[in-house]
Amino acid sequence: MSRSWPPASRRRHPVEKAATRAPWLSIMASARTLFVCLCVLLADFLPADFLPADFLRADSASAQAPSAPEAPRARPLDQEPITPVRPPAPADPRRLALGERLYSDPRLSGDGKLTCSSCHDLRTNGARSGGGKAAHDGSKMSFDTLTVFNAARNFRLNWEGNFRSLEAQAESSLENPANLGTSVAEVVRKLNADPQMVSQFQAAYGRRPDRASFLDALATFERSLVTPGSRFDRWLEGDASALTPAELDGYALFKSLGCSSCHQGANVGGNLFERHGIFHPLASPDPAIVRVPSLRNVAVTAPYFHDGSAPTLGDAVHEMARAQLDRTLSDQQVDSLVAFLKTLTGIYRGKLVGGGEP
C-alpha cells in the first residue's frame, strides 16, 4: 500500500511546527504562573483542600531548582487525622510536687479514707481498674470512670462535658457525696492545720493554703498526666518500623470506615460532642449526647461506653460500628481495628500505661 504525502507546499518543517505551537505554550505557561502567584497571595483565604498539598511547594521548588532531585520528606502529619500527643508543658516543680502530694492525700475526702487515686489509679490505667458499677458510698454509678491520663487535652471534662477546667471538675468531685464527699473549704481548713503543708504552700505560692492555690496545685499535677511515646506516635513521627503491617491495615480501616471523623487530633477524640445510637441503640439511652472520649490508652481502660456496658475492646468496636455507622464488621475487621487501637498506649514515667516495658 502506498503512503500519501501532502504536497510540498503544505509540508512544514518540525521547527516550523514548534514555532507555530510556541505562542500557545507561552500563553499556557504564563497563565499557570499567574495562577500560582494568585494562590500564594490568597493562601490564607482558600479552603485547605483547594489545591493538592504539595502543589505550591512543588511549583516553587521547580522554579528555584528545576533539575534538582526531590529530597525525601518526613511523614506529612498535616495529612493525617491524628497527630502525636506532646509532652506536658513545663510547670513550677514546687507546685507540681505539691499537687502530686495532694492527689494521694486522704484529707481530700470527707471520711479520710479516699484519695483522688482511689478512682484514678496512676499505677494502672488512670481510672478504676476493671471498672465497677458501685460508687464508694454504695450508690450506683451513673457513668463509667474516665481515665485521668491526657484529660487535660480534652476540650471539656466528664462524659457530659459539663466542666471546662480541671479546677472546676476537681471541686465537683470533692463535693459529690458519691465521690469524696467534702468541700474545698473543709479541705483547706485541714491543710492549714498542718505546719508542713503550710510551709509547702508558702514555698510554692507565697501564701498559706487557700481555695485558689489548692485547686491550682491539684490541676497543675493533673496537667502533667500526659502519655506521649506510643508506638503510633513514633510511626507518625517517621519511624516506619514502629507498626506492623497488620496494625497499619487497622489504621487504614479506621480511616476508611469514618472512625476518624470523631476520633482525631492529638487526643484521638475528646474535642467534640456526639449523639450515640445513631442507627441502632448503643449502651444506656441517657444522656443522648456525650463528649467523644479520647482513645489514648484505650486498650487498657476497659470497660467501655458511658455506662461501662462493653467489657472488651473488641465488643466496643463491634457495637460502635453497628450503632454509629450501620456497619456489621467481620471478626477479621474487628481484630484489625483492635490491633491498631493497641498501638495508642503511651508512656508514663518510663512505663507503658497499664504496666509493661515500652
Side-chain angles (χ1 to χ4, degrees), residues 175-240:
E175 295 176 348
N176 189 336
N179 292 342
L180 295 172
T182 184
S183 66
V184 171
E186 177 61 17
V187 173
V188 169
R189 185 191 67 77
K190 293 177 182 178
L191 297 178
N192 272 293
D194 181 348
Q196 187 180 33
M197 189 62 77
V198 170
S199 176
Q200 197 168 351
F201 268 89
Q202 289 279 9
Y205 290 94
R207 61 183 188 272
R208 298 175 67 87
D210 58 17
R211 180 182 182 278
S213 58
F214 161 65
L215 290 175
D216 180 77
L218 200 55
T220 296
F221 175 62
E222 290 180 347
R223 290 189 189 97
S224 75
L225 302 177
V226 179
T227 61
S230 71
R231 288 197 294 117
F232 186 73
D233 284 341
R234 300 206 316 265
W235 179 81
L236 284 173
E237 291 167 343
D239 182 358

Side-chain angles (χ1 to χ4, degrees), residues 48-73:
D49 58 353
F50 182 75
L51 291 171
D54 291 337
F55 181 84
L56 295 178
R57 287 197 299 271
D59 188 84
S60 175
S62 63
Q64 295 174 14
S67 61
E70 183 179 356
R73 292 194 300 271

Side-chain angles (χ1 to χ4, degrees), residues 3-329:
R3 182 175 183 182
S4 61
W5 290 85
S9 60
R10 292 176 57 191
R11 298 179 198 163
R12 288 188 293 178
H13 192 276
V15 174
E16 183 184 1
K17 294 180 182 180
T20 304
R21 292 195 303 265
W24 293 104
L25 295 174
S26 177
I27 291 171
M28 292 173 64
S30 298
R32 187 176 190 279
T33 300
L34 177 61
F35 178 66
V36 171
C37 291
L38 287 173
C39 289
V40 171
L41 291 172
L42 300 176
D44 291 337
F45 304 96
L46 293 172
D49 58 353
F50 182 75
L51 291 171
D54 291 337
F55 181 84
L56 295 178
R57 287 197 299 271
D59 188 84
S60 175
S62 63
Q64 295 174 14
S67 61
E70 183 179 356
R73 292 194 300 271
R75 188 179 309 283
L77 294 180
D78 59 343
Q79 296 179 16
E80 296 293 346
I82 301 172
T83 56
V85 66
R86 302 302 181 188
D92 185 321
R94 294 168 298 184
R95 297 182 181 187
L96 195 60
L98 179 56
E100 183 172 5
R101 180 177 177 182
L102 291 169
Y103 191 84
S104 300
D105 194 325
R107 287 175 292 190
L108 269 63
S109 64
D111 59 7
K113 297 179 180 179
L114 302 175
T115 69
C116 299
S117 59
S118 298
C119 289
H120 300 282
D121 188 356
L122 304 183
R123 297 167 301 177
T124 56
N125 59 9
R128 299 179 72 184
S129 185
K133 296 292 185 181
H136 292 292
D137 66 350
S139 63
K140 183 179 179 180
M141 293 179 63
S142 301
F143 297 100
D144 180 51
T145 302
L146 287 162
T147 179
V148 71
F149 284 124
N150 304 301
R153 302 296 170 91
N154 294 323
F155 87 128
R156 297 287 190 276
L157 298 166
N158 286 15
W159 279 105
E160 295 179 287
N162 47 3
F163 298 107
R164 292 174 176 265
S165 70
L166 291 167
E167 291 87 347
Q169 191 276 331
E171 185 170 10
S172 174
S173 291
L174 286 165
E175 295 176 348
N176 189 336
N179 292 342
L180 295 172
T182 184
S183 66
V184 171
E186 177 61 17
V187 173
V188 169
R189 185 191 67 77
K190 293 177 182 178
L191 297 178
N192 272 293
D194 181 348
Q196 187 180 33
M197 189 62 77
V198 170
S199 176
Q200 197 168 351
F201 268 89
Q202 289 279 9
Y205 290 94
R207 61 183 188 272
R208 298 175 67 87
D210 58 17
R211 180 182 182 278
S213 58
F214 161 65
L215 290 175
D216 180 77
L218 200 55
T220 296
F221 175 62
E222 290 180 347
R223 290 189 189 97
S224 75
L225 302 177
V226 179
T227 61
S230 71
R231 288 197 294 117
F232 186 73
D233 284 341
R234 300 206 316 265
W235 179 81
L236 284 173
E237 291 167 343
D239 182 358
S241 65
L243 300 185
T244 67
E247 292 162 347
L248 287 172
D249 288 344
Y251 179 47
L253 183 60
F254 183 84
K255 292 188 289 185
S256 67
L257 288 172
C259 306
S260 57
S261 297
C262 293
H263 294 286
Q264 29 60 33
N267 232 14
V268 200
N271 56 6
L272 70 156
F273 293 99
E274 185 57 81
R275 181 179 299 278
H276 65 86
I278 295 174
F279 294 100
H280 303 280
L282 178 73
S284 60
D286 296 320
I289 296 176
V290 297
R291 178 185 60 76
V292 175
S294 164
L295 295 185
R296 292 282 175 184
N297 309 310
V298 67
V300 297
T301 56
Y304 304 98
F305 304 154
H306 60 280
D307 63 351
S309 59
T312 71
L313 189 53
D315 293 330
V317 167
H318 175 80
E319 290 302 318
M320 280 291 292
R322 179 177 177 273
Q324 302 301 97
L325 304 174
D326 200 24
R327 297 287 297 269
T328 299
L329 301 182

